[in-house]
Protein backbone atom coordinates (compact mmCIF):
# COMPACT_ATOMS: atom_id res chain seq x y z
CA UNK A 1 0.00 0.00 0.00
CA UNK A 2 1.47 3.41 -1.02
CA UNK A 3 2.13 6.28 1.32
CA UNK A 4 -0.77 8.28 -0.22
CA UNK A 5 -3.22 5.47 0.33
CA UNK A 6 -2.09 4.95 3.93
CA UNK A 7 -2.45 8.65 4.70
CA UNK A 8 -5.95 8.90 3.28
CA UNK A 9 -7.12 5.76 5.04
CA UNK A 10 -5.57 7.16 8.22
CA UNK A 11 -7.74 10.27 7.75
CA UNK A 12 -10.84 8.09 7.47
CA UNK A 13 -9.95 6.15 10.61
CA UNK A 14 -9.20 9.39 12.47
CA UNK A 15 -12.54 10.84 11.37
CA UNK A 16 -14.50 7.85 12.64
CA UNK A 17 -12.61 7.85 15.96
CA UNK A 18 -13.16 11.58 16.39
CA UNK A 19 -16.87 11.25 15.73
CA UNK A 20 -17.07 8.50 18.32
CA UNK A 21 -15.30 10.60 20.96
CA UNK A 22 -17.14 13.84 20.21
CA UNK A 23 -20.50 12.19 19.89
CA UNK A 24 -20.10 10.56 23.28
CA UNK A 25 -19.51 13.84 25.09
CA UNK A 26 -22.38 15.31 27.01
CA UNK A 27 -25.37 13.60 28.55
CA UNK A 28 -28.84 13.42 27.06
CA UNK A 29 -31.01 15.74 29.09
CA UNK A 30 -33.95 18.10 28.61
CA UNK A 31 -35.16 21.73 28.81
CA UNK A 32 -37.61 23.65 30.81
CA UNK A 33 -39.30 26.96 30.85
CA UNK A 34 -40.15 29.26 33.71
CA UNK A 35 -43.66 29.67 35.05
CA UNK A 36 -43.60 33.44 35.03
CA UNK A 37 -42.37 36.28 32.88
CA UNK A 38 -38.60 36.65 33.10
CA UNK A 39 -36.90 39.71 34.48
CA UNK A 40 -33.27 40.64 34.57
CA UNK A 41 -31.49 38.28 36.98
CA UNK A 42 -30.54 39.85 40.25
CA UNK A 43 -26.90 39.97 41.09
CA UNK A 44 -27.50 38.69 44.62
CA UNK A 45 -29.96 36.31 46.19
CA UNK A 46 -32.91 37.95 47.96
CA UNK A 47 -32.85 38.11 51.71
CA UNK A 48 -34.84 35.28 53.21
CA UNK A 49 -37.45 35.85 55.93
CA UNK A 50 -35.99 36.01 59.39
CA UNK A 51 -36.19 32.91 61.53
CA UNK A 52 -39.51 32.75 63.32
CA UNK A 53 -40.13 31.67 66.89
CA UNK A 54 -40.54 28.01 67.60
CA UNK A 55 -43.94 26.50 66.63
CA UNK A 56 -44.64 25.99 70.35
CA UNK A 57 -44.49 29.73 70.96
CA UNK A 58 -47.87 31.52 70.91
CA UNK A 59 -46.32 34.48 69.11
CA UNK A 60 -45.53 32.63 65.83
CA UNK A 61 -46.10 34.89 62.81
CA UNK A 62 -46.08 34.06 59.12
CA UNK A 63 -43.13 35.41 57.15
CA UNK A 64 -43.92 38.57 55.18
CA UNK A 65 -45.28 37.80 51.73
CA UNK A 66 -43.09 40.50 50.23
CA UNK A 67 -40.00 38.50 51.26
CA UNK A 68 -41.36 35.31 49.74
CA UNK A 69 -42.35 37.23 46.62
CA UNK A 70 -38.71 38.26 46.29
CA UNK A 71 -37.73 34.61 46.59
CA UNK A 72 -40.33 33.64 43.97
CA UNK A 73 -39.06 36.29 41.60
CA UNK A 74 -35.48 35.13 42.06
CA UNK A 75 -36.47 31.50 41.45
CA UNK A 76 -38.26 32.52 38.26
CA UNK A 77 -35.14 34.32 37.10
CA UNK A 78 -32.91 31.34 37.81
CA UNK A 79 -35.19 28.83 36.11
CA UNK A 80 -35.67 31.15 33.16
CA UNK A 81 -31.90 31.44 32.76
CA UNK A 82 -31.67 27.65 32.95
CA UNK A 83 -34.37 27.36 30.27
CA UNK A 84 -32.47 29.66 27.91
CA UNK A 85 -29.29 27.66 28.47
CA UNK A 86 -31.22 24.44 27.91
CA UNK A 87 -32.39 25.66 24.52
CA UNK A 88 -28.75 26.43 23.66
CA UNK A 89 -27.73 22.95 24.83
CA UNK A 90 -30.47 21.26 22.82
CA UNK A 91 -29.59 23.25 19.70
CA UNK A 92 -25.91 22.32 20.02
CA UNK A 93 -26.84 18.70 20.60
CA UNK A 94 -29.04 18.62 17.49
CA UNK A 95 -26.32 20.20 15.35
CA UNK A 96 -23.71 17.83 16.73
CA UNK A 97 -25.83 14.84 15.77
CA UNK A 98 -26.21 16.17 12.22
CA UNK A 99 -22.50 16.90 11.95
CA UNK A 100 -21.59 13.47 13.29
CA UNK A 101 -23.72 11.86 10.60
CA UNK A 102 -22.09 14.05 7.95
CA UNK A 103 -18.58 13.16 9.13
CA UNK A 104 -19.37 9.45 9.11
CA UNK A 105 -20.78 9.80 5.59
CA UNK A 106 -17.68 11.63 4.43
CA UNK A 107 -15.40 9.02 5.96
CA UNK A 108 -17.24 6.35 4.02
CA UNK A 109 -16.81 8.36 0.83
CA UNK A 110 -13.08 8.69 1.56
CA UNK A 111 -12.72 4.92 1.82
CA UNK A 112 -14.80 4.32 -1.33
CA UNK A 113 -12.89 6.95 -3.28
CA UNK A 114 -9.55 5.48 -2.20
CA UNK A 115 -10.66 2.08 -3.47
CA UNK A 116 -11.71 3.64 -6.77
CA UNK A 117 -8.37 5.40 -7.09
CA UNK A 118 -6.49 2.19 -6.34
CA UNK A 119 -8.47 0.38 -9.03
CA UNK A 120 -7.73 3.11 -11.56
CA UNK A 121 -4.03 2.92 -10.71
CA UNK A 122 -4.05 -0.85 -11.21
CA UNK A 123 -5.73 -0.47 -14.60
CA UNK A 124 -3.30 2.25 -15.66
CA UNK A 125 -0.39 0.04 -14.60
CA UNK A 126 -1.75 -2.86 -16.65
CA UNK A 127 -2.02 -0.60 -19.70
CA UNK A 128 1.55 0.58 -19.23
CA UNK A 129 2.81 -2.98 -18.93
CA UNK A 130 0.97 -3.97 -22.13
CA UNK A 131 2.62 -1.10 -23.99
CA UNK A 132 6.01 -2.13 -22.63
CA UNK A 133 5.54 -5.63 -24.03
CA UNK A 134 5.26 -4.21 -27.59
CA UNK A 135 8.79 -2.92 -27.16
CA UNK A 136 7.70 0.68 -27.30
CA UNK A 137 8.63 0.81 -31.06
CA UNK A 138 7.20 3.66 -33.15
CA UNK A 139 4.45 2.67 -35.64
CA UNK A 140 6.78 3.14 -38.73
CA UNK A 141 9.29 0.64 -37.37
CA UNK A 142 6.56 -1.83 -36.49
CA UNK A 143 5.23 -1.61 -40.09
CA UNK A 144 8.67 -2.27 -41.61
CA UNK A 145 9.25 -5.25 -39.32
CA UNK A 146 5.80 -6.74 -39.81
CA UNK A 147 5.31 -9.61 -42.25
CA UNK A 148 1.58 -8.95 -42.38
CA UNK A 149 0.53 -5.33 -43.07
CA UNK A 150 -3.10 -6.06 -42.19
CA UNK A 151 -2.04 -7.50 -38.86
CA UNK A 152 -0.02 -4.35 -38.26
CA UNK A 153 -3.00 -2.13 -39.08
CA UNK A 154 -5.23 -4.13 -36.73
CA UNK A 155 -2.63 -3.85 -34.02
CA UNK A 156 -2.19 -0.16 -34.64
CA UNK A 157 -5.94 0.33 -34.13
CA UNK A 158 -5.77 -1.48 -30.86
CA UNK A 159 -2.80 0.65 -29.82
CA UNK A 160 -4.77 3.82 -30.51
CA UNK A 161 -7.68 2.49 -28.51
CA UNK A 162 -5.30 1.63 -25.70
CA UNK A 163 -3.81 5.12 -25.76
CA UNK A 164 -7.25 6.68 -25.57
CA UNK A 165 -8.19 4.35 -22.73
CA UNK A 166 -4.97 5.18 -20.89
CA UNK A 167 -5.63 8.89 -21.34
CA UNK A 168 -9.15 8.40 -19.96
CA UNK A 169 -7.77 6.47 -17.01
CA UNK A 170 -5.36 9.26 -16.22
CA UNK A 171 -8.19 11.81 -16.29
CA UNK A 172 -10.32 9.59 -14.07
CA UNK A 173 -7.42 9.20 -11.66
CA UNK A 174 -6.96 12.96 -11.50
CA UNK A 175 -10.66 13.53 -10.78
CA UNK A 176 -10.73 10.73 -8.21
CA UNK A 177 -7.72 12.22 -6.43
CA UNK A 178 -9.35 15.67 -6.39
CA UNK A 179 -12.60 14.25 -5.01
CA UNK A 180 -10.66 12.36 -2.37
CA UNK A 181 -8.89 15.51 -1.24
CA UNK A 182 -12.18 17.42 -1.14
CA UNK A 183 -13.85 14.75 0.99
CA UNK A 184 -10.91 14.80 3.40
CA UNK A 185 -11.06 18.61 3.61
CA UNK A 186 -14.83 18.59 4.19
CA UNK A 187 -14.43 15.97 6.92
CA UNK A 188 -11.82 18.11 8.67
CA UNK A 189 -14.17 21.13 8.54
CA UNK A 190 -17.04 19.10 9.99
CA UNK A 191 -14.80 17.88 12.78
CA UNK A 192 -13.95 21.48 13.67
CA UNK A 193 -17.67 22.35 13.73
CA UNK A 194 -18.35 19.29 15.84
CA UNK A 195 -15.69 20.31 18.35
CA UNK A 196 -17.14 23.85 18.51
CA UNK A 197 -20.60 22.45 19.25
CA UNK A 198 -19.15 20.13 21.87
CA UNK A 199 -17.74 23.17 23.66
CA UNK A 200 -21.05 25.04 23.27
CA UNK A 201 -22.88 22.09 24.81
CA UNK A 202 -20.43 21.96 27.71
CA UNK A 203 -20.81 25.68 28.38
CA UNK A 204 -24.61 25.49 28.28
CA UNK A 205 -24.62 22.41 30.48
CA UNK A 206 -22.49 24.13 33.10
CA UNK A 207 -24.77 27.18 33.12
CA UNK A 208 -27.89 25.00 33.47
CA UNK A 209 -26.42 23.08 36.37
CA UNK A 210 -25.28 26.27 38.11
CA UNK A 211 -28.69 27.94 37.85
CA UNK A 212 -30.58 24.86 39.02
CA UNK A 213 -28.17 24.44 41.93
CA UNK A 214 -28.67 28.07 42.94
CA UNK A 215 -32.44 27.64 42.80
CA UNK A 216 -32.31 24.45 44.88
CA UNK A 217 -30.04 26.07 47.46
CA UNK A 218 -32.37 29.06 47.70
CA UNK A 219 -35.38 26.82 48.29
CA UNK A 220 -33.47 24.66 50.77
CA UNK A 221 -32.95 27.70 52.99
CA UNK A 222 -36.70 28.06 53.46
CA UNK A 223 -38.54 26.48 56.35
CA UNK A 224 -41.29 24.02 55.51
CA UNK A 225 -44.10 26.48 56.17
CA UNK A 226 -42.30 29.07 54.05
CA UNK A 227 -42.07 26.61 51.19
CA UNK A 228 -45.78 25.89 51.53
CA UNK A 229 -46.60 29.59 51.47
CA UNK A 230 -44.28 30.06 48.48
CA UNK A 231 -46.12 27.32 46.57
CA UNK A 232 -49.40 29.01 47.46
CA UNK A 233 -48.14 32.34 46.14
CA UNK A 234 -47.04 30.64 42.92
CA UNK A 235 -50.51 29.13 42.44
CA UNK A 236 -52.15 32.46 43.15
CA UNK A 237 -49.95 34.25 40.62
CA UNK A 238 -50.76 31.64 37.98
CA UNK A 239 -54.48 31.84 38.70
CA UNK A 240 -54.44 35.62 38.50
CA UNK A 241 -52.58 35.55 35.19
CA UNK A 242 -55.01 32.98 33.77
CA UNK A 243 -58.01 34.94 34.98
CA UNK A 244 -56.68 38.13 33.41
CA UNK A 245 -56.17 36.30 30.11
CA UNK A 246 -59.67 34.81 30.17
CA UNK A 247 -61.15 38.20 31.10
CA UNK A 248 -60.09 39.49 27.69
CA UNK A 249 -62.80 37.25 26.21
CA UNK A 250 -60.24 35.39 24.10
CA UNK A 251 -61.77 32.00 24.86
CA UNK A 252 -64.97 33.00 23.07
CA UNK A 253 -62.95 33.70 19.92
CA UNK A 254 -60.95 30.48 19.97
CA UNK A 255 -62.86 27.80 18.14
CA UNK A 256 -60.49 25.97 15.80
CA UNK A 257 -61.24 22.29 15.21
CA UNK A 258 -58.48 19.74 15.72
CA UNK A 259 -57.30 17.64 12.80
CA UNK A 260 -56.52 13.95 13.14
CA UNK A 261 -52.84 14.82 13.50
CA UNK A 262 -53.70 17.37 16.19
CA UNK A 263 -55.62 14.73 18.11
CA UNK A 264 -52.70 12.29 17.95
CA UNK A 265 -50.26 14.94 19.19
CA UNK A 266 -52.57 15.95 22.05
CA UNK A 267 -53.14 12.31 23.00
CA UNK A 268 -49.38 11.70 23.16
CA UNK A 269 -48.68 14.84 25.19
CA UNK A 270 -51.47 14.29 27.71
CA UNK A 271 -50.42 10.67 28.16
CA UNK A 272 -47.11 11.99 29.59
CA UNK A 273 -48.80 13.90 32.43
CA UNK A 274 -47.11 13.14 35.73
CA UNK A 275 -43.70 12.32 34.26
CA UNK A 276 -40.78 14.34 35.66
CA UNK A 277 -39.18 17.30 33.98
CA UNK A 278 -35.52 16.84 33.06
CA UNK A 279 -33.55 19.31 31.00
CA UNK A 280 -32.45 17.94 27.63
CA UNK A 281 -34.79 14.92 27.85
CA UNK A 282 -37.05 13.70 25.06
CA UNK A 283 -38.78 10.85 26.85
CA UNK A 284 -40.02 8.33 27.31
CA UNK A 285 -39.57 8.68 31.09
CA UNK A 286 -38.65 12.38 31.39
CA UNK A 287 -39.08 15.48 29.26
CA UNK A 288 -38.19 19.12 28.95
CA UNK A 289 -40.67 21.55 27.40
CA UNK A 290 -39.56 21.26 23.77
CA UNK A 291 -38.71 17.60 24.20
CA UNK A 292 -42.37 16.96 25.01
CA UNK A 293 -43.78 18.96 22.10
CA UNK A 294 -41.30 17.66 19.54
CA UNK A 295 -41.92 14.04 20.52
CA UNK A 296 -45.68 14.54 20.54
CA UNK A 297 -45.65 15.84 16.99
CA UNK A 298 -43.18 13.20 15.85
CA UNK A 299 -45.68 10.62 17.11
CA UNK A 300 -48.36 12.40 15.08
CA UNK A 301 -46.27 12.07 11.92
CA UNK A 302 -45.12 15.70 11.69
CA UNK A 303 -41.54 16.10 12.97
CA UNK A 304 -40.78 19.60 14.28
CA UNK A 305 -37.54 21.32 15.38
CA UNK A 306 -36.10 20.21 18.70
CA UNK A 307 -35.98 23.56 20.51
CA UNK A 308 -38.70 26.06 21.38
CA UNK A 309 -36.78 28.86 19.67
CA UNK A 310 -36.49 26.92 16.41
CA UNK A 311 -40.13 25.87 16.65
CA UNK A 312 -40.96 29.57 16.84
CA UNK A 313 -38.67 30.42 13.92
CA UNK A 314 -39.55 27.61 11.54
CA UNK A 315 -43.20 26.70 12.08
CA UNK A 316 -46.14 28.63 10.68
CA UNK A 317 -47.43 31.40 12.94
CA UNK A 318 -51.16 31.65 13.64
CA UNK A 319 -53.07 34.16 15.73
CA UNK A 320 -54.14 33.22 19.25
CA UNK A 321 -57.81 33.51 18.33
CA UNK A 322 -57.31 31.03 15.49
CA UNK A 323 -55.42 28.41 17.49
CA UNK A 324 -56.76 24.90 17.86
CA UNK A 325 -55.82 21.89 20.00
CA UNK A 326 -52.38 20.63 19.00
CA UNK A 327 -50.98 24.06 18.23
CA UNK A 328 -47.89 25.09 20.16
CA UNK A 329 -47.88 28.21 22.31
CA UNK A 330 -44.48 29.90 22.60
CA UNK A 331 -43.86 31.87 25.78
CA UNK A 332 -41.67 34.80 26.81
CA UNK A 333 -39.95 37.29 24.54
CA UNK A 334 -36.98 35.00 23.97
CA UNK A 335 -39.13 31.96 23.06
CA UNK A 336 -37.60 30.03 25.94
CA UNK A 337 -40.68 27.94 26.75
CA UNK A 338 -43.26 26.02 24.73
CA UNK A 339 -46.49 24.22 25.57
CA UNK A 340 -49.23 22.44 23.62
CA UNK A 341 -52.73 23.88 23.55
CA UNK A 342 -55.30 21.21 24.36
CA UNK A 343 -58.51 23.28 24.29
CA UNK A 344 -60.74 25.08 26.79
CA UNK A 345 -57.99 27.58 27.55
CA UNK A 346 -55.57 24.93 28.82
CA UNK A 347 -52.12 23.68 27.91
CA UNK A 348 -50.04 20.62 28.68
CA UNK A 349 -46.36 21.29 29.29
CA UNK A 350 -43.20 20.31 31.13
CA UNK A 351 -42.73 23.35 33.42
CA UNK A 352 -39.26 23.26 35.00
CA UNK A 353 -36.88 21.24 37.21
CA UNK A 354 -38.62 19.73 40.18
CA UNK A 355 -41.99 19.66 38.43
CA UNK A 356 -43.84 17.12 36.30
CA UNK A 357 -45.67 17.29 32.97
CA UNK A 358 -48.98 18.90 33.83
CA UNK A 359 -52.09 20.74 32.66
CA UNK A 360 -52.15 24.48 33.21
CA UNK A 361 -53.93 27.60 32.04
CA UNK A 362 -52.74 28.86 28.66
CA UNK A 363 -52.53 32.40 30.01
CA UNK A 364 -50.42 31.68 33.08
CA UNK A 365 -47.26 32.87 31.28
CA UNK A 366 -46.66 35.75 28.83
CA UNK A 367 -47.56 34.47 25.34
CA UNK A 368 -45.18 35.33 22.53
CA UNK A 369 -47.23 33.63 19.83
CA UNK A 370 -48.70 30.43 18.45
CA UNK A 371 -47.29 28.06 15.81
CA UNK A 372 -48.90 25.22 13.88
CA UNK A 373 -46.84 22.08 13.16
CA UNK A 374 -49.26 20.58 10.62
CA UNK A 375 -50.01 23.79 8.70
CA UNK A 376 -49.16 22.12 5.38
Amino acid sequence: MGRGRRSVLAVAVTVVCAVTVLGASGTAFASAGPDRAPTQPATTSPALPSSSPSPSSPSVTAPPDKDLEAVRTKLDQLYHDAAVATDAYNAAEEKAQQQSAEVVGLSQKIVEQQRKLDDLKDRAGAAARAQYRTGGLPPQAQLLLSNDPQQFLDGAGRVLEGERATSGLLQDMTHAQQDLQQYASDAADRLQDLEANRKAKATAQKRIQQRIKEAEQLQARLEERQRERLAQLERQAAQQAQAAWLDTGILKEIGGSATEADKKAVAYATAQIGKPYEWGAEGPKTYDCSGLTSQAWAAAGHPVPRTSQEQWKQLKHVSVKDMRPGDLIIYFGDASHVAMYVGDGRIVHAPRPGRTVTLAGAGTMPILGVVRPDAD
Side-chain angles (χ1 to χ4, degrees):
M1 183 185 295
R3 179 179 300 176
R5 180 177 180 183
R6 287 198 300 270
S7 63
V8 172
L9 289 178
V11 169
V13 172
T14 301
V15 164
V16 174
C17 293
V19 171
T20 302
V21 172
L22 293 177
S25 61
T27 315
F29 296 103
S31 116
D35 292 333
R36 237 85 38 203
T39 56
Q40 290 298 320
T43 55
T44 58
S45 297
L48 291 176
S50 303
S51 299
S52 302
S54 129
S56 60
S57 171
S59 60
V60 171
T61 58
D65 281 358
K66 65 176 182 177
D67 291 340
L68 289 178
E69 277 293 344
V71 172
R72 186 177 71 83
T73 299
K74 179 62 177 178
L75 288 173
D76 283 347
Q77 294 168 353
L78 291 171
Y79 283 126
H80 175 261
D81 197 14
V84 173
T86 297
D87 233 30
Y89 176 93
N90 289 336
E93 171 70 13
E94 189 173 38
K95 288 181 181 178
Q97 290 175 354
Q98 294 172 350
Q99 290 160 350
S100 294
E102 290 174 358
V103 171
V104 170
L106 286 168
S107 68
Q108 292 173 343
K109 287 183 177 180
I110 288 172
V111 173
E112 293 169 0
Q113 201 67 13
Q114 182 64 63
R115 289 173 180 167
K116 179 180 179 180
L117 185 60
D118 291 342
D119 180 62
L120 289 170
K121 288 180 178 179
D122 290 342
R123 290 166 59 190
R129 289 192 296 272
Q131 185 178 12
Y132 177 79
R133 284 194 295 270
T134 66
L137 294 174
Q140 296 87 345
Q142 292 182 34
L143 177 60
L144 292 173
L145 296 174
S146 175
N147 295 324
D148 186 346
Q150 184 60 46
Q151 183 181 11
F152 164 76
L153 292 175
D154 292 342
R158 287 193 295 272
V159 170
L160 288 174
E161 291 177 359
E163 289 177 349
R164 294 192 189 98
T166 301
S167 177
L169 281 173
L170 292 175
Q171 291 179 357
D172 289 344
M173 285 173 59
T174 299
H175 293 155
Q177 184 68 45
Q178 292 173 344
D179 290 343
L180 187 60
Q181 292 173 348
Q182 185 61 52
Y183 292 148
S185 176
D186 290 345
D189 290 341
R190 294 298 182 280
L191 282 173
Q192 288 183 346
D193 293 340
L194 193 58
E195 173 64 13
N197 271 312
R198 185 194 67 78
K199 292 179 179 178
K201 282 171 54 181
T203 299
Q205 179 176 346
K206 183 177 180 181
R207 187 173 184 84
I208 294 166
Q209 293 171 334
Q210 286 177 337
R211 294 300 177 264
I212 293 177
K213 182 178 180 180
E214 289 178 43
E216 290 174 344
Q217 289 176 339
L218 181 56
Q219 293 175 91
R221 292 165 59 194
L222 296 173
E223 298 176 0
E224 183 177 355
R225 61 193 181 84
Q226 292 173 330
R227 288 195 290 270
E228 292 174 354
R229 179 54 181 162
L230 179 63
Q232 184 180 20
L233 291 174
E234 290 175 347
R235 289 192 296 271
Q236 288 176 355
Q239 291 167 358
Q240 290 171 0
Q242 176 72 354
W245 184 67
L246 293 176
D247 286 345
T248 64
I250 187 64
L251 202 56
K252 296 179 181 178
E253 300 181 32
I254 299 173
S257 299
T259 64
E260 287 303 313
D262 291 330
K263 294 175 182 177
K264 290 180 181 178
V266 170
Y268 181 97
T270 53
Q272 313 312 310
I273 290 175
K275 293 184 178 181
Y277 174 96
E278 184 181 12
W279 65 269
E282 300 176 79
K285 295 182 179 180
T286 57
Y287 294 88
D288 65 8
C289 67
S290 57
L292 176 65
T293 55
S294 61
Q295 288 302 305
W297 271 104
H302 289 267
V304 299
R306 171 63 178 89
T307 69
S308 58
Q309 292 178 347
E310 288 303 312
Q311 289 171 5
W312 174 243
K313 289 178 183 178
Q314 297 185 35
L315 300 180
K316 181 181 179 180
H317 291 204
V318 297
S319 65
V320 174
K321 66 181 181 64
D322 292 330
M323 71 179 174
R324 65 195 188 201
D327 285 345
L328 304 182
I329 303 180
I330 309 297
Y331 291 97
F332 304 104
D334 53 9
S336 58
H337 190 65
V338 60
M340 180 179 291
Y341 184 65
V342 296
D344 297 327
R346 297 183 301 169
I347 56 171
V348 61
H349 71 143
R352 64 171 173 80
R355 303 291 173 82
T356 61
V357 176
T358 187
L359 288 172
T364 55
M365 297 168 285
I367 295 175
L368 176 62
V370 180
V371 294
R372 180 161 295 163
D374 62 338
D376 295 334

